[in-house]
Amino acid sequence: MNRGTGHSLVCGLEIHVELATRTKVLCACPNRFGAEPNTLACPVCAGLPGALPVLNAEAVRLAVLAGLALDCTIRSRSVMARKNYFYPDMPKGYQITQYEEPLCVDGSILLDDLPGGPRRVRIERAHLEEDAGKLLHDAFGTGTLVDLNRCGVPLLEIVGAPDLRTPEEARRMMEIVRDRLEACGVSDCRMEEGSLRADVNVSLLDEATGQFGTRVEIKNVNSFRAVERAVASEARRQERILGAGGRVVRETRLWDDGRGESRPMRRKETDDDYRYFPEPDLPALRIGPEEVEALRRRLPEFPAERRRRYRDEMGLLDADALLLCRPPAVARLFESACAAGASPRAAADFLRVEVFRHLNRAGLDPADVPFGGESLARLLAAVGAGRLAPVGARRVLERMFEDSGAAADPEGEAERQGLLIRSGGVGLDDLARRVAAAHPAACQDLRAGKEKAFSFLLGQAMREARGGADPKALAEALRRVLSGPGHESAGLTGPAEQAGGKGDPA
Ligand code: ADP
Ligand code: MG
Ligand code: ZN
């Protein structure tokens, strides 16, 4: 991006993703978010002398799967390493990570959906490591306490090449990495819970000399929007410095999303500061080609491809295809509804309008939907056949969230709630007769030619029907009843005239 100052933006992301294993990467503690502080920690987590780590094979498999999803080469031998530094959230005094011999190298992803067309961005490496704990500042009275629950949660650090040229590209890279890793189930990728996080590196390239500028790293970037804003903000800050004749210093800064700016955190350490060496308590990690190929076969369709398929093969509008191609729970619900016979367009409409509305209102996640697409297909079949009005379908859907019986048989539930449309039959006539009997004054007005009274009666009848009747059929039934015995002089118009006189005597 030319910034009109003779400099262009250069950006590279380091993305950390927590792997969704059952247990931690170096011990048997549960890997779970949101537990009471320090309830998921053992001597390994606490770094007690003599405690020995054991590498979790499932973490390795998920890391390989993630690497494959990012088009990386998986190295048959990789080495765990000690990165030494002291920080109170890491009681061992070092992090077990990978350094010179990482697990995954030389990947790339394609950034689509950009105004300037698609762009390929390289991934330098992705390596397996352990997460650190968390400091709780003033959470319990005053002072800072340490929660070790996150110690040893398996992390994959994905190091992107400095190939990004705009804040939008940085955001898009983050989204695509999320899409792909979420699709293969290696992580829930919840930025708001920290299971997906980014450090953004920004420098300005001098266009006249082609020289790279000094790089600044920004940490604590916790949402897609924050990625975009942090990159843009840092580019502006460096421009101001260069514009004033100053020099950018190599440092690590902390993003403050509330203020929309970063502040200095520390001068950047070099690799020497970390005194890396191979982890003596763990053997080298070896993975055979058969194992890698077996995992490659587990790679799913990714959201970008799925979106194209929904649009080009299933006939959805692109906006709906985008909405339904992820997260996996949504795509599964949509596809299983279609497989059970729902029309893709009808299923997409119903998911977008009714199901998402219900999820938002109830504060539920798509993964919490307690029924499958077959239930949805049955409900939509009743609507499609005209046996259930959209308002009625909404009420049945609400029951389906609470009651597995309703979810198994939506039409039966509609029946029980009296929501099935009784098309032109005796049912609607009965209802119309009840309404007429309950409102003699309105019937009188209608006979006197006051057409407004008809709207009133129809409104009452609709209320009686609780959304379970087709308004047109109900209006016809009302006309029919009101022109029958006892209502002879009612002003009649419309198709009900031919049907007049069919009703039984009151
Ligand atoms: P560090 O130890 O400093 O985190 P890494 O190799 O782990 O180093 O990460 C380097 C990150 O910085 C990569 O994401 C890379 O794309 C990015 N980067 C490297 N050079 C530049 C540059 N000139 N401008 C912006 N980002 C850069
Ligand atoms: Mg790094
Ligand atoms: Zn533990």
Side-chain angles (χ1 to χ4, degrees):
M1 177 163 80
N2 188 324
R3 310 192 56 89
T5 55
H7 296 110
S8 60
L9 170 62
V10 177
C11 170
L13 298 187
E14 291 166 82
I15 300 174
H16 286 89
V17 61
E18 287 180 357
L19 301 174
T21 50
R22 221 167 32 78
T23 55
K24 293 184 180 182
V25 64
L26 300 171
C27 68
C29 289
N31 172 17
R32 181 152 56 78
F33 179 81
E36 283 295 300
N38 297 315
T39 54
L40 309 176
C42 70
V44 175
C45 297
L48 296 185
L52 286 175
V54 177
L55 195 59
N56 179 345
E58 179 64 5
V60 176
R61 278 193 290 273
L62 294 186
V64 170
L65 197 57
L68 292 172
L70 304 173
D71 261 335
C72 288
T73 301
I74 309 302
R75 299 174 72 249
S76 58
R77 180 181 185 277
S78 62
V79 173
M80 305 307 291
R82 269 189 201 187
K83 180 180 183 178
N84 297 279
Y85 64 95
F86 180 73
Y87 200 71
D89 64 9
M90 206 184 53
K92 284 203 298 292
Y94 57 86
Q95 179 191 28
I96 297 185
T97 176
Q98 298 189 307
Y99 182 50
E100 282 169 322
E101 300 188 68
L103 180 58
C104 319
V105 294
D106 297 333
S108 75
I109 53 170
L110 191 70
L111 308 185
D112 58 354
D113 248 10
L114 292 168
R119 285 230 309 122
R120 190 160 286 281
V121 172
R122 288 169 300 154
I123 301 219
E124 288 174 355
R125 52 188 271 158
H127 61 256
L128 186 60
E129 61 186 27
E130 59 174 332
D131 209 344
K134 232 183 233 175
L135 296 184
L136 304 173
H137 302 288
D138 300 326
F140 302 88
T142 52
T144 295
L145 298 172
V146 188
D147 176 10
L148 299 181
N149 285 354
R150 203 177 65 180
C151 275
V153 166
L155 275 186
L156 189 73
E157 177 172 339
I158 300 160
V159 182
D163 287 350
L164 302 163
R165 293 293 175 267
T166 67
E168 298 74 41
E169 286 180 8
R171 180 199 178 112
R172 194 70 194 124
M173 169 159 180
M174 199 69 197
E175 287 173 345
I176 302 244
V177 167
R178 185 267 321 259
D179 286 359
R180 296 192 148 226
L181 300 190
E182 179 189 71
C184 42
V186 302
S187 173
D188 59 17
C189 293
R190 292 201 181 141
M191 288 194 84
E192 66 285 3
E193 290 181 1
S195 60
L196 178 69
R197 352 190 249 271
D199 302 337
V200 309
N201 295 272
V202 175
S203 70
L204 292 181
L205 175 79
D206 187 321
E207 288 181 335
T209 64
Q211 272 214 321
F212 280 97
T214 302
R215 144 167 83 105
V216 170
E217 177 172 349
I218 303 171
K219 290 198 176 290
N220 197 32
V221 185
N222 295 327
S223 70
F224 295 106
R225 185 168 150 266
V227 169
E228 194 168 334
R229 291 173 80 209
V231 173
S233 152
E234 179 58 19
R236 281 194 303 272
R237 193 186 69 86
Q238 293 184 14
E239 259 162 34
R240 275 198 302 276
I241 293 171
L242 297 179
R247 267 185 45 229
V248 174
V249 295
R250 176 84 192 274
E251 64 179 337
T252 299
R253 300 176 66 87
L254 208 59
W255 177 247
D256 181 335
D257 205 46
R259 306 171 72 102
E261 61 186 32
S262 62
R263 60 171 185 275
M265 181 169 127
R266 57 168 185 248
R267 288 296 162 100
K268 184 67 194 182
E269 299 87 350
T270 64
D271 285 354
D272 290 347
D273 295 324
Y274 292 124
R275 305 175 325 279
Y276 282 98
F277 60 86
E279 170 58 52
D281 290 340
L282 289 169
L285 186 53
R286 290 176 190 280
I287 297 158
E290 327 73 45
E291 206 175 342
V292 171
E293 289 319 303
L295 286 163
R296 197 189 300 279
R297 283 194 292 276
R298 267 175 49 186
L299 284 180
E301 180 183 42
F302 293 123
E305 305 152 14
R306 194 174 280 156
R307 174 182 174 185
R308 262 195 304 279
R309 183 165 62 81
Y310 287 179
R311 192 188 56 209
D312 300 343
E313 291 170 32
M314 299 176 82
L316 295 195
L317 299 173
D318 188 54
D320 282 348
L322 179 61
L323 197 69
L324 300 178
C325 66
R326 68 153 296 275
V330 169
R332 250 196 320 273
L333 199 58
F334 170 68
E335 294 198 24
S336 56
C338 296
S343 107
R345 285 251 187 163
D349 282 344
F350 194 76
L351 280 164
R352 171 167 37 72
V353 178
E354 301 296 347
V355 177
F356 286 177
R357 200 183 62 120
H358 185 95
L359 292 175
N360 284 339
R361 242 191 3 202
L364 293 175
D365 192 89
D368 301 331
V369 175
F371 48 82
E374 319 71 48
S375 295
L376 219 51
R378 276 183 218 129
L379 178 64
L380 290 171
V383 176
R387 294 193 297 276
L388 187 58
V391 227
R394 174 180 299 174
R395 296 167 54 111
V396 174
L397 177 71
E398 271 155 24
R399 291 293 306 150
M400 289 165 66
F401 271 95
E402 285 151 19
D403 174 3
S404 60
D409 181 13
E411 194 158 339
E413 176 63 21
E415 174 85 73
R416 266 192 297 287
Q417 291 199 41
L419 295 170
L420 278 193
I421 293 174
R422 288 136 296 193
S423 52
V426 176
L428 286 188
D429 285 13
D430 280 349
L431 195 147
R433 255 192 302 281
R434 265 204 320 275
V435 169
H439 301 284
C443 296
Q444 186 77 47
D445 286 351
L446 187 62
R447 277 196 293 280
K450 293 184 188 155
E451 196 46 36
K452 250 198 193 146
F454 185 77
S455 314
F456 168 77
L457 288 166
L458 181 58
Q460 295 302 310
M462 286 298 287
R463 232 174 64 181
E464 275 281 293
R466 295 189 302 157
D470 172 37
K472 208 169 135 248
L474 191 54
E476 286 169 12
L478 252 184
R479 295 282 184 199
R480 201 152 52 226
V481 165
L482 292 171
S483 66
H487 298 280
E488 279 81 8
S489 51
L492 285 176
T493 49
E497 231 162 351
Q498 293 99 49
K502 247 195 203 163
D504 298 325

